Amino acid sequence: MRSVKTALALGVAALAAAGSVVTPAAAATPSGDANGKAMTWTLLADGPGGTVQVGGGPLSNPYQGDTATTTALPVLCLRVDGSPAPAGITPGFYAGWARGSVAATNPIRGTRLTSRAVADGVCANNFGTGWRMAEFHDGRYGPNLESSGGWSYWAYGDVPAGTRFWTAINDQPANPWN
């Protein structure tokens, strides 16, 4: 199954690369960001029972962004439904449990994500009610999953390998709309 995912991921990566070639006029960032970059995450691992671990990995910069917002990438979306962590997942600060499912949209230029509401709308339009843009701190751990961590988390889902995803962060200016 991973070979099919890899082939699909390469196709998505090729589309994203093709979508990042723009004329100077089209490269303007309507979101008004100073550095023109935003934070991205990727698939880190496949886990037990249909779970995946998503996170920044070594290429991510949650403080200033790591990818030009003129790039077209999928949005990482999350639907929190209160799912308990399955056997084999032990949530911690750096690899929490998101209590739901993740999915990735088709690639979209970061410059089109002009606010959190717009990004959440992209997820809801693609996957339905209750879906929103995934956020850096969505991973939970501790007794009753009451604490919030960061850097990566586990969730149910199936996202393409070998690509980056636009992912929000609520306490740093590293979003496409900043």
Side-chain angles (χ1 to χ4, degrees):
M1 182 105 177
R2 178 53 63 195
S3 62
V4 172
K5 286 183 184 179
T6 302
L8 290 173
L10 292 174
V12 169
L15 286 173
S20 66
V21 179
V22 296
T23 63
T29 56
S31 57
D33 55 335
N35 70 0
K37 291 185 177 181
M39 182 187 72
T40 62
W41 275 22
T42 192
L43 173 68
L44 298 176
D46 286 316
T51 61
V52 292
Q53 182 184 21
V54 292
L59 300 179
S60 188
N61 184 332
Y63 305 108
Q64 298 175 334
D66 50 77
T67 303
T69 55
T70 53
T71 306
L73 295 174
V75 175
L76 183 64
C77 301
L78 173 69
R79 181 176 52 88
V80 175
D81 60 12
S83 297
I89 302 284
T90 303
F93 180 87
Y94 294 105
W97 174 247
R99 303 168 294 152
S101 300
V102 290
T105 68
N106 288 326
I108 183 172
R109 280 193 209 298
T111 54
R112 298 196 54 202
L113 303 172
T114 56
S115 70
R116 179 63 191 256
V118 168
D120 289 346
V122 168
C123 291
N125 288 338
N126 275 269
F127 303 112
T129 303
W131 286 87
R132 62 170 172 79
M133 186 180 202
E135 199 272 334
F136 182 92
H137 302 95
D138 279 326
R140 310 295 291 187
Y141 70 101
N144 300 315
L145 300 176
E146 63 201 29
S147 299
S148 175
W151 301 98
S152 81
Y153 49 80
W154 293 91
Y156 289 107
D158 186 19
V159 295
T163 193
R164 307 293 299 177
F165 311 106
W166 298 121
T167 306
I169 185 164
N170 65 15
D171 62 354
Q172 297 295 326
N175 299 292
W177 52 88
N178 291 131

